[in-house]
């Protein structure tokens, strides 16, 4: 396979895409009617979503790995659900392609299907169904339904193939084609797809649920049009989009023009623990944003790639989670956004590259990088303080089992428990413990009993892990760990696929520390069952016996009876220096079991007395000692002043969050103690002291292999943490921004 990056793809913008047709004219509607229709459309979309969830028997769908949306006649999103977000914008591309491929041959009752990541999909398991909505013979809109189906073929159960070298070893790719023709099911296509699945019952139930969701939502749209007319539906949809676009552009105009960058790395390609750079350069100009990923590494011959549509969906998710916090989620959010890719990179893979993890691998890193860039830009305007948070989604910790169950039937099961990672810390609050992801906003995970009832798998525990979120004045949310094992069968096949094992992908911001790395640990030949029969509870991986082994980020193998795998999710970073965290918040966390006393002392500088309360005097002294240690172990920045001085009132020209200021004379200033530290030339990090802390200094669950270092930048006067980066050895220092 030729994986050389030779050139860039043309810049892509959904609004100006060559495939997009301009919306037709619509008559304006009065404000009261608009509000009625706006809420009516939300209600219809919610009913479509609810129908899909309840009609499907899949535990993955019940865990919210699905979504439903209403689109305009040209494919623009008007209203979307709050579930799995990445395919929402890729279905816009699907509708545009249907309008082009089937021009003049689109009819009431049609439904079009694809899952092809190289056409408009994300990965093979995400099946996309779009249906045209006609009123009185006129195409006035579309509905879109999609979900992750448990198994659609491939070399491994569930279609996740870590050691694949091409997409032909993975799940079935379905071309963009008509699944339902004028209300009549294409039975031949239906049968071919189901014949390729290990569990056709679940796949057929999912497909039936898609069709049911379309029927229900379109019946409600028909009622709306009969009451108000098709013109009112079109006008309301266009106004929703136009309002969101106007508000997004207005927000952008309040933010500084400049270039914002972030780089991270994808670890392990399914064959070896190789590293792949993901680079995001975001340029903000007036009321537009350009995300340039062209400096990303070439396509992986293994697991981890994303296609351009998968990356499009990831960027769309970032826009929804940042600018969309108080405005409608629709096509208007992406109208100001342009995306640039290099050819055949990790984020723009082409046939025949492996793509089974296209929904949760490199595009997760791309989203994290884009989130950091957006946050760094917003940090320059205090009006956006409430929006400030670190990247929310680091890695999907896939745990997939398959084989033959206790009833001698084929089975495959994907655990949604891994959505139980913590939420990111904000500038004003802690991240939510087990708060879940941005990529599945209303996501959740299943009851333990549901999996244990339907598969030969049993849980030994599922619980939150103390101190797993990144430390900070406001900490990242703690996430979960869960241990699973085969039961009542001699063996099961396990597929374990993730990234963020060699390094944390979720950095802290404004001096906060990164969240923990994720990982899998197996106990081979444990005695958990014998212990339980004897009345001994399984408490942790040590207590159950067996041979302990840390698994690589990606592996597929046969698990024998007695083998137990513990899964630990990756969690977001903190906000602000942990040494500024209020003592009452630390006391609360220790009391509630969210933080251990030794971590409170080592990371937060909080000393507990015999009464389990904080000794304030001892803690103040310890924090002073830690700050002094930071200063003593730091090296001077290239552009750091020989003698720092206090900034005068009124000297500041710019403030970047709560940590860094720039004076009118061009000096970098610590906002915590008003000290001018150094001259700002090309990168503020060159103007302040740098130290390289160990993983243990930053948190008990942080790891870093020998290819990376932590860079902590501090104030030369007060020793406050200003930023903590994860940098590959040999790379230059991180550059957050260059303002116009």
């Amino acid at each position: 396979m030729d994986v050389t990056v030779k050139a860039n793809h043309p810049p892509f913008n959904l609004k100006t895409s060559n495939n997009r047709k301009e919306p037709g004219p619509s008559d304006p509607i009065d404000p009261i009617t608009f509000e009625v229709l706006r809420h009516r459309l939300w209600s219809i979309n919610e009913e479509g979503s609810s129908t899909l969830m309840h009609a499907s028997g899949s535990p993955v769908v019940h865990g919210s790995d699905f979504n439903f949306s209403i689109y305009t006649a040209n494919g623009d999103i008007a209203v979307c659900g709050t579930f799995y977000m990445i395919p929402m914008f890729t279905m816009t591309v699907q509708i545009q392609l249907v309008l082009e491929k089937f021009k003049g041959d689109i009819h009431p009752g049609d439904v079009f299907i694809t899952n092809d990541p190289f056409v408009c999909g994300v990965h093979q398991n995400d099946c996309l169904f779009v249906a045209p909505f006609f009123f009185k013979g006129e195409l006035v809109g579309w509905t879109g339904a999609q979900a992750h189906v448990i198994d659609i073929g491939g070399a491994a159960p569930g279609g996740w193939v870590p050691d694949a070298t091409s997409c032909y070893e993975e799940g079935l790719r379905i071309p963009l084609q008509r699944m339902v023709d004028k209300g009549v099911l294409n039975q031949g296509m239906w049968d071919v797809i189901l014949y390729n699945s290990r569990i056709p019952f679940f796949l057929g139930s999912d497909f039936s649920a898609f069709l049911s969701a379309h029927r229900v939502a379109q019946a409600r749209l028909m009622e709306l049009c009969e009451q108000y007319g098709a013109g009112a539906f079109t006008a309301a949809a266009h106004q929703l989009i136009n309002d969101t676009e106007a508000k997004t552009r207005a927000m952008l105009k309040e933010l500084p023009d400049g270039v914002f960058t972030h780089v991270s790395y994808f670890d392990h390609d399914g064959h070896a623990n190789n590293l792949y750079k993901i680079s995001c350069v975001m340029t903000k100009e007036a009321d537009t944003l350009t995300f340039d990923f062209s400096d990303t590494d070439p396509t992986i011959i293994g697991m981890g790639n994303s296609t351009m549509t998968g990356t499009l969906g990831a960027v769309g998710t970032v826009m929804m989670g940042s600018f969309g916090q108080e405005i409608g989620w629709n096509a208007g959010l992406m109208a100001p956004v342009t995306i640039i890719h290099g050819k055949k990179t990790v984020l723009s893979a082409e046939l025949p590259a492996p793509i089974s993890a296209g929904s949760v691998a490199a595009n997760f890193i791309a989203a994290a990088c884009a989130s950091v860039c957006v946050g760094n830009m917003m940090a320059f305007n205090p009006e956006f303080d409430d929006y400030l948070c670190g990247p929310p989604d680091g890695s999907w910790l896939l745990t997939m089992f398959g084989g033959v169950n206790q009833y001698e039937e084929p089975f495959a099961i994907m655990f949604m428990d891994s959505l139980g990672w913590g939420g990111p810390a904000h500038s004003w609050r802690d991240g939510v413990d087990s708060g879940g992801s941005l990529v599945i906003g209303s996501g959740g995970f299943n009851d333990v009993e549901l999996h244990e009832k339907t598969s030969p798998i049993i849980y030994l525990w599922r619980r939150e892990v103390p101190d797993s979120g990144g430390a900070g004045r406001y900490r990242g949310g703690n996430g979960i760990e869960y241990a699973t094992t085969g039961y009542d069968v001699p063996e099961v096949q396990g597929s374990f696929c993730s990234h963020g094992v060699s390094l944390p992908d979720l950095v802290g911001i404004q001096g906060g520390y990164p969240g923990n790395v994720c990982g899998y640990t197996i106990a081979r030949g444990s005695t958990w069952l014998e212990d339980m029969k004897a009345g001994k509870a399984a408490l942790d991986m040590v207590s159950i016996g067996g041979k302990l082994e840390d698994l690589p980020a990606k592996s597929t193998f046969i698990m024998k009876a007695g083998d137990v795998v513990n899964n630990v999710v990756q969690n977001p970073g903190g906000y602000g220096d942990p040494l500024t965290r209020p003592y009452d918040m630390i006391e609360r966390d220790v009391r509630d079991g969210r933080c251990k006393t030794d971590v409170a002392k080592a990371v937060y500088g909080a000393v507990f007395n015999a009464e389990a309360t904080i000794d304030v005097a001892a803690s103040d002294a310890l924090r002073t000692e830690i700050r002094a240690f930071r200063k003593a172990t730091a090296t001077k920045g290239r552009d750091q002043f020989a003698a720092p001085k206090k900034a005068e009132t009124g000297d500041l020209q710019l403030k970047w969050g709560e940590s860094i200021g720039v004076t009118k004379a061009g000096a970098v200033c610590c906002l915590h103690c008003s000290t001018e530290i150094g001259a700002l030339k090309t990168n503020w990090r060159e103007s302040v002291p740098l130290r390289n802390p160990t993983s243990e200094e930053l948190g008990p669950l942080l790891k870093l292999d020998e290819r990376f270092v932590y860079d902590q930048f501090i104030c030369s006067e007060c020793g406050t943490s200003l930023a903590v980066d994860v940098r590959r050895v040999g790379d230059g220092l991180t550059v957050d921004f260059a303002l116009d």
Side-chain angles (χ1 to χ4, degrees):
M1 186 191 309
D2 178 14
V3 297
T4 304
V5 179
K6 298 176 180 177
N8 284 355
H9 287 277
F12 178 79
N13 177 286
L14 271 179
K15 186 172 183 179
T16 60
S17 164
N18 291 335
N19 291 322
R20 180 179 182 268
K21 310 300 180 186
E22 283 296 323
S26 59
D27 296 329
I29 53 176
D30 65 87
I32 294 176
T33 302
F34 171 68
E35 287 299 317
V36 171
L37 293 178
R38 179 166 70 100
H39 287 81
R40 182 86 166 263
L41 289 172
W42 287 349
S43 176
I44 292 170
N45 200 76
E46 179 63 29
E47 189 171 359
S49 300
S50 180
T51 300
L52 199 163
M53 175 183 284
H54 292 295
S56 168
S58 165
V60 174
V61 172
H62 278 256
S64 305
D65 197 345
F66 78 97
N67 217 332
F68 190 86
S69 295
I70 299 170
Y71 297 80
T72 61
N74 69 340
D76 292 342
I77 300 176
V79 178
C80 73
T82 57
F83 303 99
Y84 176 36
M85 303 311 307
I86 289 177
M88 295 300 93
F89 289 106
T90 71
M91 283 198 287
T92 286
V93 179
Q94 181 183 8
I95 293 168
Q96 292 172 355
L97 293 175
V98 169
L99 289 167
E100 178 183 323
K101 180 176 180 178
F102 297 92
K103 185 177 181 180
D105 190 23
I106 300 172
H107 311 282
D110 286 351
V111 180
F112 298 88
I113 182 178
T114 191
N115 72 340
D116 192 341
F118 303 106
V119 174
C120 60
V122 182
H123 72 150
Q124 296 93 322
N125 290 76
D126 288 345
C127 292
L128 317 177
F129 280 50
V130 297
F133 170 63
F134 286 82
F135 183 72
K136 295 183 178 179
E138 176 190 1
L139 176 63
V140 295
W142 295 76
T143 49
Q146 72 78 219
H148 178 105
V149 299
I150 296 178
D151 186 275
I152 199 158
W160 304 85
V161 188
D163 57 353
T165 57
S166 80
C167 63
Y168 302 115
E169 301 159 66
E170 301 171 336
L172 180 70
R173 284 170 39 239
I174 305 167
L176 182 61
Q177 196 49 262
R178 210 186 310 258
M179 175 60 86
V180 181
D181 187 355
K182 301 175 186 175
V184 178
L185 182 68
N186 184 338
Q187 191 66 52
M189 173 169 279
W190 181 280
D191 290 347
V192 167
I193 297 170
L194 266 63
Y195 269 48
N196 279 273
S197 175
R198 293 170 176 81
I199 44 174
F201 170 77
F202 274 120
L203 181 56
S205 294
D206 284 340
F207 282 10
S208 296
F210 295 162
L211 299 179
S212 297
H214 283 299
R215 282 194 296 270
V216 168
Q218 294 207 5
R220 299 294 177 264
L221 289 173
M222 187 68 71
E223 294 168 1
L224 182 153
C225 289
E226 287 171 348
Q227 182 176 357
Y228 293 95
F233 162 76
T234 301
H238 289 169
Q239 187 169 333
L240 282 167
I241 295 168
N242 293 338
D243 285 355
T244 290
E245 179 178 351
K247 291 174 181 176
T248 304
R249 292 189 185 276
M251 293 168 73
L252 284 167
K253 288 179 180 178
E254 297 297 317
L255 294 164
D257 288 353
V259 178
F260 303 83
T261 63
H262 191 73
V263 172
S264 191
Y265 291 87
F266 181 85
D267 54 322
H268 208 295
D269 54 25
H271 303 279
N273 194 15
N274 297 313
L275 296 174
Y276 300 86
K277 181 176 73 171
I278 310 293
S279 170
C280 178
V281 179
M282 185 188 81
T283 301
K284 187 270 178 181
E285 184 175 359
D287 62 354
T288 64
L289 282 178
T290 299
F291 293 91
D292 186 345
F293 297 104
S294 58
D295 194 30
T296 293
D297 277 351
T299 302
I300 299 169
I301 310 300
M303 175 175 270
N305 297 307
S306 174
T307 60
M308 287 193 292
T309 47
T311 307
L312 165 69
V315 173
T317 301
V318 171
M319 293 298 292
M320 289 175 172
S322 53
F323 291 92
Q325 291 186 43
E326 296 183 21
I327 59 179
W329 286 8
N330 56 51
L333 276 166
M334 287 294 282
V337 173
T338 297
I339 301 173
I340 299 175
H341 284 290
K343 287 185 177 292
K344 295 184 180 180
T345 73
V346 177
L347 298 175
S348 61
E350 301 176 18
L351 276 170
I355 201 67
S356 65
S359 61
V360 294
N363 62 343
F364 260 44
I365 304 292
C369 290
S371 293
V372 172
C373 291
V374 170
N376 285 339
M377 175 180 63
M378 288 182 167
F380 280 102
N381 188 336
E383 294 296 319
F384 291 85
D385 278 353
D386 287 354
Y387 288 54
L388 285 186
C389 65
D393 301 336
S395 54
W396 171 248
L397 193 77
L398 172 75
T399 298
M400 184 94 200
F401 291 117
V404 178
N405 67 15
Q406 62 268 50
Y407 310 112
E408 299 186 353
E409 301 166 337
F411 87 99
I413 185 169
M414 184 176 84
F415 289 81
M416 298 299 291
D417 305 61
S418 295
L419 284 176
W421 60 73
H426 284 64
S427 63
W428 51 280
R429 66 166 174 83
D430 288 345
V432 178
D433 293 332
S434 304
S437 67
L438 170 61
V439 74
I440 304 183
S442 294
F445 41 86
N446 306 111
D447 294 334
V448 166
E449 292 79 11
L450 176 65
H451 284 324
E452 294 183 340
K453 181 177 71 173
T454 58
S455 63
I457 302 296
I458 193 168
Y459 288 76
L460 298 187
W461 56 77
R462 184 172 73 184
R463 60 200 178 198
E464 287 183 349
V465 180
D467 300 303
S468 53
R473 186 172 78 248
Y474 297 107
R475 61 171 178 81
N478 290 330
I480 69 167
E481 65 174 355
Y482 60 101
T484 51
T485 182
Y487 179 69
D488 206 21
V489 290
E491 63 183 34
V492 296
Q493 181 170 337
S495 293
F496 307 96
C497 311
S498 193
H499 57 271
V501 175
S502 299
L503 74 159
D505 301 307
L506 299 180
V507 296
I509 59 174
Q510 300 292 310
Y513 294 176
N516 69 299
V517 295
C518 63
Y520 308 95
T521 302
I522 188 169
R524 300 187 188 275
S526 78
T527 58
W528 72 267
L529 185 56
E530 292 78 5
D531 292 343
M532 281 194 173
K533 288 178 179 178
K536 179 184 175 183
L539 300 177
D540 52 45
M541 293 296 281
V542 175
S543 71
I544 61 176
K547 181 182 178 182
L548 290 179
E549 175 189 345
D550 288 334
L551 296 176
K554 298 172 183 68
S555 60
T556 296
F557 57 88
I558 300 299
M559 286 179 58
K560 300 294 185 180
D563 292 350
V564 177
V565 172
N566 190 46
N567 311 261
V568 180
V569 302
Q570 184 176 188
N571 296 288
Y575 180 97
D577 189 339
L579 297 184
T580 64
R581 185 167 177 82
Y583 291 141
D584 62 327
M585 297 179 73
I586 301 172
E587 277 191 352
R588 179 201 64 194
D589 279 351
V590 169
R591 182 179 64 248
D592 294 345
R594 295 185 172 94
C595 176
K596 296 181 179 179
T597 54
D598 59 334
V599 176
K601 181 178 181 179
V603 177
Y604 291 99
V607 180
F608 280 77
N609 55 31
E611 289 75 37
T613 59
I614 287 179
D615 184 326
V616 174
S619 299
D620 287 347
L622 177 58
R623 288 183 167 186
T624 299
E625 181 182 325
I626 293 173
R627 290 174 185 272
F629 175 75
R630 288 175 178 173
K631 292 162 63 176
T633 54
T635 58
K636 188 174 182 179
R638 184 191 65 189
D639 301 323
Q640 184 178 332
F641 294 145
K645 65 175 184 177
K646 291 294 181 181
E648 299 296 330
T649 304
D651 279 354
L652 286 180
Q653 183 178 21
L654 285 173
K655 288 185 178 182
W656 186 55
E658 66 170 37
S659 297
I660 294 293
V662 179
T663 68
K664 295 173 183 176
V668 174
C669 177
C670 171
L671 296 180
H672 298 279
C673 67
S674 300
T675 297
E676 293 185 13
I677 309 171
L680 177 59
K681 295 182 179 179
T682 57
N683 183 1
W684 72 263
R685 284 169 168 76
E686 302 279 11
S687 309
V688 302
L690 162 67
R691 60 186 303 270
N692 300 119
T694 64
S695 295
E696 292 74 20
E697 285 182 66
L698 304 181
L701 301 175
L702 280 165
K703 297 178 183 177
L704 207 60
D705 77 14
E706 67 281 357
R707 293 170 291 183
F708 294 93
V709 294
Y710 292 113
D711 287 342
Q712 184 177 33
F713 299 90
I714 65 170
C715 173
S716 58
E717 187 70 14
C718 67
T720 298
S721 178
L722 304 176
V724 178
D725 302 327
V726 178
R727 179 174 57 87
R728 185 172 63 174
V729 174
D731 286 357
L733 298 181
T734 297
V735 181
D736 291 304
F737 55 83
L739 301 183
D740 290 353

